[in-house]
């Protein structure tokens, strides 16, 4: 009889604690996670900070936190001992176990290396809490909008030839030079052809001769960098040699950075797709300034290596879109007859075209 009552009371305790933990488990349990910055470059290390808090008087015997992240975000070997990582080719599953006393907050920082360019979202995290005996569990899925934009590595090959009028390193060549009406560096005597709008009347009154503003000169040089995501001429949509195209993106990023940070203009175009808008045409006209550069780099980060249209059709589209002579740098793995035909059309229309051939890593090393 004693054993019977003992079993009955034990079962009753198990049921009661189960109901209590099920009702109270995830109540007032908060979880947050965010990167310590919004952007970084390929290969940089960032910090992923997560905070778990039990903001009530009731303890949590166990709490499981599960999430999926891209396998390109590589966690350091010094991550927390209660973090179990199962990594596949594209995704990795994270599972952590906690025991939280009342009014307890846990904050931990993971050091993560962004191994590849891209746009990485923290997406969802599932919290699961249960009773002392693990008989049942209560789950809640949280959705996050946090993003990490990973810019491509900046690569500028030594053998890269920019379109005519460009310069590289310490070698000076001819550049188009124009007067900048917003940069005045002094006055000079009036010459035939000068606009009366540029007359400096104070200097004219002081010298007795007609004087005009002396304007500084700036280099009017810009390049549109065009990336072909096709890895061979007969490709349909899926790209097999992704690494060669990735290297092309790094060269495009390095070239754009080189031009803009040396006071010139750069643009970016591609026949690929953007992760947020698979239907939009990738085209950023040449411009200057740091803001424009980071806009281009973000566009390159969002680039999906899938063909939206053939490179031939894309070059024809560019010929319709470009309303003035433009210097084009084409980064491509191939130049078949149709591509050459489109390049000839661009040349006839007054555009200057330079082709940078992209090779697989094995061929590049052999050469």
């Amino acid at each position: 009889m004693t054993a019977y009552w003992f079993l009955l009371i034990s079962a009753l305790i198990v049921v009661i604690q189960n109901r209590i933990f099920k009702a109270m488990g995830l109540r007032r349990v908060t979880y947050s996670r965010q990167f310590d910055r919004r952007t970084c470059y390929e290969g940089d290390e960032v910090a992923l900070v997560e905070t778990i808090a039990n903001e009530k008087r009731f303890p949590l015997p166990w709490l499981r936190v599960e999430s999926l992240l891209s396998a390109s975000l590589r966690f350091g070997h010094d991550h927390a001992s209660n973090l179990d990582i199962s990594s596949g080719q594209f995704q990795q599953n994270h599972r952590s176990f906690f025991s939280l006393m009342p009014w307890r907050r846990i904050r931990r920082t993971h050091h993560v290396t962004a191994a590849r360019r891209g746009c990485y979202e923290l997406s969802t995290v599932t919290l699961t809490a249960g009773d002392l005996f693990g008989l049942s569990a209560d789950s809640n899925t949280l959705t996050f909008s946090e993003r990490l934009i990973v810019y491509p590595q900046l690569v500028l090959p030594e053998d890269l030839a920019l379109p005519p009028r460009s310069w590289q390193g310490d070698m000076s060549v001819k550049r188009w030079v124009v007067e900048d009406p917003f940069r005045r560096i002094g006055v000079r005597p009036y010459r035939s052809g000068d606009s009366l709008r540029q007359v400096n009347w104070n200097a004219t009154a002081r010298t007795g001769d007609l004087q005009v503003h002396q304007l500084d000169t700036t280099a009017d040089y810009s390049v549109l960098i065009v990336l072909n995501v096709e890895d061979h001429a007969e490709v349909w949509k899926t790209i097999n040699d992704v690494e060669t195209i990735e290297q092309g993106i790094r060269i495009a990023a390095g070239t754009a950075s080189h031009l803009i940070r040396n006071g010139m203009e750069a643009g970016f175009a591609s026949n690929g797709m953007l992760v947020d808008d698979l239907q939009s045409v990738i085209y950023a006209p040449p411009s200057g300034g740091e803001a424009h550069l980071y806009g281009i780099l973000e566009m390159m980060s969002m680039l999906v290596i899938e063909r939206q249209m053939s490179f031939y059709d894309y070059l024809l589209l560019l010929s319709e879109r470009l309303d003035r002579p433009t210097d084009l740098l084409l980064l491509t793995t191939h130049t078949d007859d149709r591509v050459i035909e489109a390049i000839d059309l661009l040349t006839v229309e007054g555009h200057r075209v330079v082709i940078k051939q992209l090779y697989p890593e094995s061929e590049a090393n052999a050469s």
Side-chain angles (χ1 to χ4, degrees):
M1 182 65 70
T2 303
Y4 170 79
W5 284 107
F6 175 77
L7 292 175
L8 183 61
I9 294 172
S10 298
L12 186 61
I13 292 174
V14 169
V15 171
I16 293 174
Q17 67 86 35
N18 176 262
R19 296 290 179 86
I20 293 174
F21 278 109
K22 192 169 184 179
M24 300 291 294
L26 290 177
R27 184 177 298 178
R28 299 189 67 180
V29 173
T30 61
Y31 177 87
S32 66
R33 68 192 315 188
Q34 60 274 327
F35 293 104
D36 65 339
R37 65 184 101 166
R38 177 183 173 272
T39 63
C40 70
Y41 284 92
E42 187 177 13
D44 285 355
E45 183 179 271
V46 298
L48 175 60
V49 181
E50 63 176 348
T51 305
I52 309 103
N54 180 21
E55 299 177 347
K56 61 179 181 294
R57 297 179 181 178
F58 200 76
L60 279 178
W62 61 271
L63 173 69
R64 184 172 67 237
V65 180
E66 294 181 279
S67 63
L68 277 177
L69 287 174
S70 170
S72 296
L73 298 177
R74 298 175 182 171
F75 282 64
H77 297 294
D78 58 343
H79 61 71
S81 58
N82 67 335
L83 175 61
D84 179 43
I85 301 177
S86 300
S87 185
Q89 183 178 0
F90 302 108
Q91 296 287 329
Q92 53 185 320
N93 180 66
H94 290 197
R95 178 179 294 184
S96 300
F97 284 92
F98 301 91
S99 178
L100 289 175
M101 298 302 290
W103 308 108
R104 178 72 185 277
R105 182 186 300 269
I106 296 176
R107 177 187 173 95
R108 61 183 185 178
T109 301
H110 306 284
H111 298 285
V112 182
T113 300
R116 297 179 72 89
R117 64 150 193 106
C119 174
Y120 301 103
E121 297 185 354
L122 293 179
S123 61
T124 61
V125 173
T126 301
L127 306 180
T128 305
D131 62 14
L132 290 168
F133 300 96
L135 296 180
S136 64
D138 184 24
S139 296
N140 184 25
T141 299
L142 306 177
T143 302
F144 294 89
S145 58
E146 185 80 10
R147 271 184 168 186
L148 176 66
I149 305 296
V150 181
Y151 299 144
Q153 184 182 2
L154 305 180
V155 174
L156 189 66
E158 294 180 357
D159 62 343
L160 181 64
L162 296 177
R165 298 181 284 151
S166 74
W167 55 272
Q168 198 168 0
D170 295 326
M171 181 179 65
S172 297
V173 299
K174 183 179 178 181
R175 298 165 63 192
W176 289 100
V177 176
V178 295
E179 289 186 328
D180 188 339
F182 299 103
R183 300 177 63 182
R184 298 173 178 176
I185 58 175
V187 294
R188 61 171 175 80
Y190 176 86
R191 293 195 297 260
S192 177
D194 287 337
S195 171
L196 291 178
R197 295 179 181 177
Q198 295 299 327
V199 173
N200 186 319
W201 296 109
N202 290 334
T204 298
R206 187 171 59 253
T207 62
D209 297 320
L210 199 58
Q211 303 287 313
V212 297
H213 294 291
Q214 174 108 22
L215 303 179
D216 198 3
T217 56
T218 58
D220 180 21
Y221 181 70
S222 62
V223 175
L224 179 63
I225 304 163
V226 186
L227 173 71
N228 180 16
V229 299
E230 298 172 341
D231 57 350
H232 60 281
E234 292 79 23
V235 67
W236 174 239
K237 184 176 181 181
T238 303
I239 310 301
N240 297 320
D241 189 4
V242 172
E243 285 305 318
T244 299
I245 308 304
E246 287 286 352
Q247 186 64 8
I249 296 173
R250 297 183 187 107
I251 293 173
T255 305
S257 176
H258 172 77
L259 290 170
I260 291 175
R261 286 173 174 163
N262 281 284
M264 293 177 277
E265 297 182 344
F268 178 67
S270 176
N271 59 335
M273 304 178 182
L274 292 178
V275 66
D276 284 342
D277 188 357
L278 299 179
Q279 302 302 319
S280 65
V281 175
I282 300 177
Y283 176 73
S287 187
E290 288 286 309
H292 178 68
L293 172 60
Y294 286 114
I296 289 178
L297 293 177
E298 184 162 328
M299 181 180 288
M300 294 176 181
S301 301
M302 300 284 191
L303 179 63
V304 179
I305 303 181
E306 288 187 11
R307 191 184 80 162
Q308 187 181 77
M309 66 182 74
S310 72
F311 196 45
Y312 167 78
D313 290 330
Y314 189 80
L315 292 179
L316 294 184
L317 181 66
L318 274 184
S319 71
E320 298 175 359
R321 177 164 294 192
L322 298 174
D323 56 0
R324 61 188 178 93
T326 305
D327 294 342
L328 304 175
L329 173 63
L330 307 187
L331 304 176
T332 179
T333 60
H334 69 90
T335 49
D336 59 12
D337 292 340
R338 283 165 56 83
V339 171
I340 294 298
E341 177 187 334
I343 292 174
D344 290 341
L345 175 62
L346 289 167
T347 303
V348 169
E349 292 175 348
H351 308 294
R352 291 163 293 274
V353 180
V354 167
I355 301 172
K356 167 64 178 175
Q357 197 84 18
L358 301 176
Y359 297 99
E361 185 177 356
S362 57
E363 295 182 21
N365 293 337
S367 61

